[in-house]
PDB file of all heavy atoms in Angstrom:
ATOM      1  N   GLY A 126      34.576  27.541  10.266  1.00  0.00           N
ATOM      2  CA  GLY A 126      34.680  28.944   9.872  1.00  0.00           C
ATOM      3  C   GLY A 126      34.374  29.827  11.064  1.00  0.00           C
ATOM      4  O   GLY A 126      34.910  29.615  12.154  1.00  0.00           O
ATOM      5  N   GLU A 127      33.480  30.779  10.872  1.00  0.00           N
ATOM      6  CA  GLU A 127      33.132  31.682  11.977  1.00  0.00           C
ATOM      7  C   GLU A 127      32.577  30.909  13.157  1.00  0.00           C
ATOM      8  O   GLU A 127      32.812  31.236  14.307  1.00  0.00           O
ATOM      9  CB  GLU A 127      32.096  32.706  11.499  1.00  0.00           C
ATOM     10  CG  GLU A 127      32.712  33.749  10.574  1.00  0.00           C
ATOM     11  CD  GLU A 127      31.666  34.639   9.949  1.00  0.00           C
ATOM     12  OE1 GLU A 127      30.610  34.828  10.586  1.00  0.00           O
ATOM     13  OE2 GLU A 127      31.904  35.133   8.834  1.00  0.00           O
ATOM     14  N   GLU A 128      31.800  29.857  12.843  1.00  0.00           N
ATOM     15  CA  GLU A 128      31.310  29.006  13.930  1.00  0.00           C
ATOM     16  C   GLU A 128      32.031  27.669  13.882  1.00  0.00           C
ATOM     17  O   GLU A 128      32.310  27.148  12.810  1.00  0.00           O
ATOM     18  CB  GLU A 128      29.803  28.781  13.774  1.00  0.00           C
ATOM     19  CG  GLU A 128      28.992  30.035  14.067  1.00  0.00           C
ATOM     20  CD  GLU A 128      27.532  29.834  13.738  1.00  0.00           C
ATOM     21  OE1 GLU A 128      26.936  28.877  14.261  1.00  0.00           O
ATOM     22  OE2 GLU A 128      26.998  30.622  12.929  1.00  0.00           O
ATOM     23  N   HIS A 129      32.280  27.123  15.060  1.00  0.00           N
ATOM     24  CA  HIS A 129      32.913  25.813  15.186  1.00  0.00           C
ATOM     25  C   HIS A 129      31.788  24.787  15.358  1.00  0.00           C
ATOM     26  O   HIS A 129      31.100  24.782  16.375  1.00  0.00           O
ATOM     27  CB  HIS A 129      33.838  25.826  16.410  1.00  0.00           C
ATOM     28  CG  HIS A 129      34.499  24.518  16.692  1.00  0.00           C
ATOM     29  ND1 HIS A 129      35.784  24.220  16.277  1.00  0.00           N
ATOM     30  CD2 HIS A 129      34.049  23.405  17.314  1.00  0.00           C
ATOM     31  CE1 HIS A 129      36.094  22.999  16.659  1.00  0.00           C
ATOM     32  NE2 HIS A 129      35.057  22.476  17.287  1.00  0.00           N
ATOM     33  N   ASP A 130      31.574  23.930  14.364  1.00  0.00           N
ATOM     34  CA  ASP A 130      30.465  22.966  14.443  1.00  0.00           C
ATOM     35  C   ASP A 130      30.938  21.705  15.165  1.00  0.00           C
ATOM     36  O   ASP A 130      31.751  20.942  14.626  1.00  0.00           O
ATOM     37  CB  ASP A 130      29.972  22.637  13.027  1.00  0.00           C
ATOM     38  CG  ASP A 130      28.718  21.778  13.051  1.00  0.00           C
ATOM     39  OD1 ASP A 130      28.503  21.053  14.046  1.00  0.00           O
ATOM     40  OD2 ASP A 130      27.955  21.832  12.071  1.00  0.00           O
ATOM     41  N   PRO A 131      30.438  21.464  16.393  1.00  0.00           N
ATOM     42  CA  PRO A 131      30.925  20.315  17.169  1.00  0.00           C
ATOM     43  C   PRO A 131      30.470  18.968  16.619  1.00  0.00           C
ATOM     44  O   PRO A 131      30.948  17.932  17.068  1.00  0.00           O
ATOM     45  CB  PRO A 131      30.321  20.567  18.559  1.00  0.00           C
ATOM     46  CG  PRO A 131      29.090  21.382  18.303  1.00  0.00           C
ATOM     47  CD  PRO A 131      29.383  22.224  17.100  1.00  0.00           C
ATOM     48  N   THR A 132      29.553  18.963  15.651  1.00  0.00           N
ATOM     49  CA  THR A 132      29.071  17.685  15.104  1.00  0.00           C
ATOM     50  C   THR A 132      29.956  17.177  13.970  1.00  0.00           C
ATOM     51  O   THR A 132      29.773  16.058  13.499  1.00  0.00           O
ATOM     52  CB  THR A 132      27.617  17.815  14.589  1.00  0.00           C
ATOM     53  OG1 THR A 132      27.604  18.695  13.462  1.00  0.00           O
ATOM     54  CG2 THR A 132      26.686  18.345  15.666  1.00  0.00           C
ATOM     55  N   LEU A 133      30.914  17.988  13.522  1.00  0.00           N
ATOM     56  CA  LEU A 133      31.847  17.524  12.470  1.00  0.00           C
ATOM     57  C   LEU A 133      32.697  16.382  13.023  1.00  0.00           C
ATOM     58  O   LEU A 133      33.328  16.537  14.074  1.00  0.00           O
ATOM     59  CB  LEU A 133      32.757  18.682  12.031  1.00  0.00           C
ATOM     60  CG  LEU A 133      33.718  18.354  10.872  1.00  0.00           C
ATOM     61  CD1 LEU A 133      32.948  18.254   9.549  1.00  0.00           C
ATOM     62  CD2 LEU A 133      34.826  19.410  10.751  1.00  0.00           C
ATOM     63  N   PHE A 134      32.687  15.235  12.338  1.00  0.00           N
ATOM     64  CA  PHE A 134      33.499  14.126  12.855  1.00  0.00           C
ATOM     65  C   PHE A 134      34.496  13.600  11.823  1.00  0.00           C
ATOM     66  O   PHE A 134      35.300  12.717  12.134  1.00  0.00           O
ATOM     67  CB  PHE A 134      32.612  12.984  13.385  1.00  0.00           C
ATOM     68  CG  PHE A 134      31.986  12.142  12.300  1.00  0.00           C
ATOM     69  CD1 PHE A 134      32.580  10.949  11.893  1.00  0.00           C
ATOM     70  CD2 PHE A 134      30.818  12.542  11.680  1.00  0.00           C
ATOM     71  CE1 PHE A 134      32.013  10.172  10.889  1.00  0.00           C
ATOM     72  CE2 PHE A 134      30.237  11.774  10.670  1.00  0.00           C
ATOM     73  CZ  PHE A 134      30.844  10.590  10.271  1.00  0.00           C
ATOM     74  N   ALA A 135      34.471  14.136  10.590  1.00  0.00           N
ATOM     75  CA  ALA A 135      35.455  13.720   9.578  1.00  0.00           C
ATOM     76  C   ALA A 135      35.463  14.739   8.448  1.00  0.00           C
ATOM     77  O   ALA A 135      34.477  15.438   8.214  1.00  0.00           O
ATOM     78  CB  ALA A 135      35.105  12.339   9.029  1.00  0.00           C
ATOM     79  N   VAL A 136      36.603  14.794   7.744  1.00  0.00           N
ATOM     80  CA  VAL A 136      36.713  15.642   6.562  1.00  0.00           C
ATOM     81  C   VAL A 136      37.252  14.788   5.423  1.00  0.00           C
ATOM     82  O   VAL A 136      38.142  13.959   5.615  1.00  0.00           O
ATOM     83  CB  VAL A 136      37.657  16.850   6.828  1.00  0.00           C
ATOM     84  CG1 VAL A 136      37.971  17.588   5.537  1.00  0.00           C
ATOM     85  CG2 VAL A 136      37.024  17.800   7.840  1.00  0.00           C
ATOM     86  N   ALA A 137      36.653  14.965   4.238  1.00  0.00           N
ATOM     87  CA  ALA A 137      37.152  14.322   3.014  1.00  0.00           C
ATOM     88  C   ALA A 137      37.671  15.443   2.128  1.00  0.00           C
ATOM     89  O   ALA A 137      36.912  16.330   1.750  1.00  0.00           O
ATOM     90  CB  ALA A 137      36.027  13.572   2.327  1.00  0.00           C
ATOM     91  N   SER A 138      38.954  15.395   1.791  1.00  0.00           N
ATOM     92  CA  SER A 138      39.576  16.548   1.135  1.00  0.00           C
ATOM     93  C   SER A 138      40.540  16.111   0.044  1.00  0.00           C
ATOM     94  O   SER A 138      41.093  15.000   0.080  1.00  0.00           O
ATOM     95  CB  SER A 138      40.321  17.368   2.196  1.00  0.00           C
ATOM     96  OG  SER A 138      41.171  18.307   1.602  1.00  0.00           O
ATOM     97  N   ASP A 139      40.755  16.973  -0.929  1.00  0.00           N
ATOM     98  CA  ASP A 139      41.747  16.682  -1.964  1.00  0.00           C
ATOM     99  C   ASP A 139      43.099  17.323  -1.666  1.00  0.00           C
ATOM    100  O   ASP A 139      43.980  17.312  -2.512  1.00  0.00           O
ATOM    101  CB  ASP A 139      41.223  17.092  -3.347  1.00  0.00           C
ATOM    102  CG  ASP A 139      41.096  18.593  -3.505  1.00  0.00           C
ATOM    103  OD1 ASP A 139      41.219  19.316  -2.491  1.00  0.00           O
ATOM    104  OD2 ASP A 139      40.874  19.045  -4.636  1.00  0.00           O
ATOM    105  N   GLU A 140      43.240  17.888  -0.464  1.00  0.00           N
ATOM    106  CA  GLU A 140      44.560  18.380  -0.036  1.00  0.00           C
ATOM    107  C   GLU A 140      44.685  18.140   1.464  1.00  0.00           C
ATOM    108  O   GLU A 140      43.682  18.093   2.176  1.00  0.00           O
ATOM    109  CB  GLU A 140      44.728  19.872  -0.361  1.00  0.00           C
ATOM    110  CG  GLU A 140      43.762  20.763   0.412  1.00  0.00           C
ATOM    111  CD  GLU A 140      44.041  22.261   0.221  1.00  0.00           C
ATOM    112  OE1 GLU A 140      45.111  22.628  -0.273  1.00  0.00           O
ATOM    113  OE2 GLU A 140      43.156  23.059   0.590  1.00  0.00           O
ATOM    114  N   PRO A 141      45.915  17.971   1.958  1.00  0.00           N
ATOM    115  CA  PRO A 141      46.099  17.771   3.393  1.00  0.00           C
ATOM    116  C   PRO A 141      45.633  19.001   4.164  1.00  0.00           C
ATOM    117  O   PRO A 141      45.783  20.128   3.687  1.00  0.00           O
ATOM    118  CB  PRO A 141      47.614  17.595   3.552  1.00  0.00           C
ATOM    119  CG  PRO A 141      48.124  17.274   2.180  1.00  0.00           C
ATOM    120  CD  PRO A 141      47.195  17.936   1.215  1.00  0.00           C
ATOM    121  N   LEU A 142      45.008  18.770   5.319  1.00  0.00           N
ATOM    122  CA  LEU A 142      44.514  19.868   6.148  1.00  0.00           C
ATOM    123  C   LEU A 142      44.930  19.636   7.589  1.00  0.00           C
ATOM    124  O   LEU A 142      45.003  18.496   8.040  1.00  0.00           O
ATOM    125  CB  LEU A 142      42.982  19.929   6.109  1.00  0.00           C
ATOM    126  CG  LEU A 142      42.296  20.317   4.820  1.00  0.00           C
ATOM    127  CD1 LEU A 142      40.788  20.142   4.983  1.00  0.00           C
ATOM    128  CD2 LEU A 142      42.619  21.761   4.438  1.00  0.00           C
ATOM    129  N   GLU A 143      45.201  20.715   8.302  1.00  0.00           N
ATOM    130  CA  GLU A 143      45.399  20.613   9.761  1.00  0.00           C
ATOM    131  C   GLU A 143      44.021  20.701  10.377  1.00  0.00           C
ATOM    132  O   GLU A 143      43.390  21.767  10.358  1.00  0.00           O
ATOM    133  CB  GLU A 143      46.255  21.772  10.269  1.00  0.00           C
ATOM    134  CG  GLU A 143      47.687  21.729   9.807  1.00  0.00           C
ATOM    135  CD  GLU A 143      48.644  21.581  10.986  1.00  0.00           C
ATOM    136  OE1 GLU A 143      48.204  21.782  12.149  1.00  0.00           O
ATOM    137  OE2 GLU A 143      49.817  21.254  10.752  1.00  0.00           O
ATOM    138  N   ILE A 144      43.539  19.615  10.915  1.00  0.00           N
ATOM    139  CA  ILE A 144      42.146  19.607  11.374  1.00  0.00           C
ATOM    140  C   ILE A 144      42.017  18.697  12.596  1.00  0.00           C
ATOM    141  O   ILE A 144      42.780  17.751  12.757  1.00  0.00           O
ATOM    142  CB  ILE A 144      41.218  19.188  10.190  1.00  0.00           C
ATOM    143  CG1 ILE A 144      39.738  19.342  10.529  1.00  0.00           C
ATOM    144  CG2 ILE A 144      41.515  17.776   9.732  1.00  0.00           C
ATOM    145  CD1 ILE A 144      39.241  20.732  10.323  1.00  0.00           C
ATOM    146  N   ASP A 145      41.076  19.016  13.463  1.00  0.00           N
ATOM    147  CA  ASP A 145      40.920  18.316  14.742  1.00  0.00           C
ATOM    148  C   ASP A 145      40.036  17.074  14.669  1.00  0.00           C
ATOM    149  O   ASP A 145      39.592  16.558  15.693  1.00  0.00           O
ATOM    150  CB  ASP A 145      40.344  19.296  15.779  1.00  0.00           C
ATOM    151  CG  ASP A 145      39.007  19.897  15.334  1.00  0.00           C
ATOM    152  OD1 ASP A 145      38.794  20.050  14.107  1.00  0.00           O
ATOM    153  OD2 ASP A 145      38.160  20.204  16.199  1.00  0.00           O
TER     154      ASP A 145
END
Side-chain angles (χ1 to χ4, degrees):
Chain A
E127 287 172 28
E128 289 173 55
H129 177 97
D130 187 334
T132 66
L133 184 73
F134 76 96
V136 170
S138 167
D139 68 349
E140 65 173 346
L142 292 173
E143 292 243 346
I144 188 84
D145 57 330

